[in-house]
Amino acid sequence: MTRILITGSKGRMGKALLACAPLHPEVEVAAQIDIGDDLLAAIDRCDVVVDFSAHQATVALAALCARHHKAMVIGTTGHAPEERTAIVHHAHAVPLVMASNFSTGVNTLFWLTRKAAEILGPDFDVEIVEMHHRFKKDAPSGTAMALAEVLAKVREMPLEEAARYGREGIVGERTPEEIGVHSVRGGDVVGDHTVMFATLGERLELTHKASSRETFAHGALRAAAWVVKQKPGLYSMMEVLGLK
Ligand code: NAD
């Protein structure tokens, strides 16, 4: 039985994790922490920390997990590059699963996006559109950025050069190198992502729509049971699912 500690337990994802955990006989919720709770007092009760708190909180949390030899499942998104570097540094000490999206469908979308980009080639313009609920704090979504990374890798281009975030004004004609990324916010949308491949005469769209946060929670709980059996290192959800 894998003992988990949930950080961000009073949030939307924290509540989904608590609701789904009883359906996973391989895990047991040993502790739950939100702002103001004593994390230090609880950390040694668990084998793995499942973090769905906030991007800035994950940095200190990863350092604590490394000191206490605890594996980690990191669900927070929107890390600044220096935050990500600081988090990933601890992968030399403990196993970490870090994923912008824990759903099986989205990880299949990552795989399909890579395949489609390889097959269709540079003559197809690529654009990503994501939509999330009005409360989401970061944009673009971590999943949209991960999809953009997949496309940039296939095209052998640094994403920083290729990414075009929204368009406004006289921006000129689209160049073939661009990877468009567009964020829409509103209502209670759990998470929609579309990758468009458009050329003259045809367009292919790959779309994933999450209708419940429980899909992310089930994936994160599956990752928690998996990560405790791994050596120190940085792992993705695609590795948990055997897609890589
Ligand atoms: P939320 O705002 O509803 O919940 C976050 C919770 O974390 C809050 O209860 C807050 O009080 C708590 N928190 C903040 N700082 C903390 C700290 N230092 N220690 C303990 N608790 C702390 O947000 P949410 O919608 O549940 O999303 C949480 C994070 O998960 C976001 O980064 C979001 O983008 C990400 N997310 C990831 C996935 C995925 O599959 N990877 C899916 C959904 C959301």
Side-chain angles (χ1 to χ4, degrees):
M1 178 79 82
T2 302
R3 298 169 305 157
I4 65 169
L5 182 156
I6 298 170
T7 48
S9 59
K10 292 185 180 154
R12 283 174 287 265
M13 273 307 300
K15 286 179 192 153
L17 285 160
L18 288 167
C20 293
L23 301 173
H24 290 252
E26 70 282 16
V27 304
E28 173 192 25
V29 179
Q32 40 180 298
I33 296 289
D34 207 282
I35 284 183
D37 297 331
D38 189 354
L39 177 59
L40 260 180
I43 190 145
D44 285 323
R45 296 213 298 273
C46 78
D47 305 307
V48 50
V49 170
V50 178
D51 177 35
F52 280 86
S53 59
H55 66 96
Q56 66 279 20
T58 304
V59 179
L61 203 52
L64 190 72
C65 285
R67 280 203 299 282
H68 288 252
H69 307 290
K70 302 298 175 189
M72 229 184 146
V73 172
I74 300 171
T76 53
T77 63
H79 310 106
E82 57 278 14
E83 287 175 340
R84 192 187 152 81
T85 305
I87 294 163
V88 167
H89 166 76
H90 298 294
H92 73 269
V94 286
L96 308 175
V97 176
M98 196 169 183
S100 57
N101 196 306
F102 281 92
S103 95
T104 307
V106 157
N107 283 278
T108 306
L109 176 65
F110 290 146
W111 189 90
L112 290 169
T113 296
R114 188 180 75 217
K115 276 286 160 210
E118 285 168 359
I119 294 166
L120 298 172
D123 195 39
F124 279 71
D125 301 324
V126 288
E127 298 276 319
I128 298 165
V129 181
E130 57 101 341
M131 181 166 185
H132 281 83
H133 53 90
R134 63 168 69 149
F135 307 105
K136 185 161 177 65
K137 297 178 184 77
D138 55 317
S141 70
T143 303
M145 293 309 294
L147 288 164
E149 286 285 1
V150 169
L151 293 168
K153 203 166 170 194
V154 173
R155 295 200 163 182
E156 297 176 349
M157 291 187 60
L159 182 58
E160 311 82 73
E161 282 173 31
R164 287 294 292 267
Y165 300 105
R167 293 188 181 82
E168 189 188 30
I170 313 295
V171 292
E173 290 186 9
R174 191 190 195 287
T175 64
E177 291 77 30
E178 290 173 26
I179 297 174
V181 186
H182 313 279
S183 299
V184 182
R185 293 287 174 268
D188 59 358
V189 176
V190 173
D192 294 356
H193 293 88
T194 295
V195 185
M196 299 177 187
F197 297 86
T199 191
L200 305 181
E202 62 173 325
R203 182 165 93 235
L204 172 71
E205 296 186 1
L206 301 174
T207 295
H208 177 270
K209 296 186 182 193
S211 48
S212 160
R213 283 181 184 85
E214 296 198 350
T215 186
F216 310 130
H218 285 303
L221 294 165
R222 188 169 166 177
W226 182 89
V227 73
V228 291
K229 298 181 204 134
Q230 309 307 315
K231 295 193 194 108
L234 179 66
Y235 302 96
S236 70
M237 191 58 191
M238 289 184 82
E239 285 167 293
V240 176
L241 295 172
L243 288 172
K244 213 172 179 179

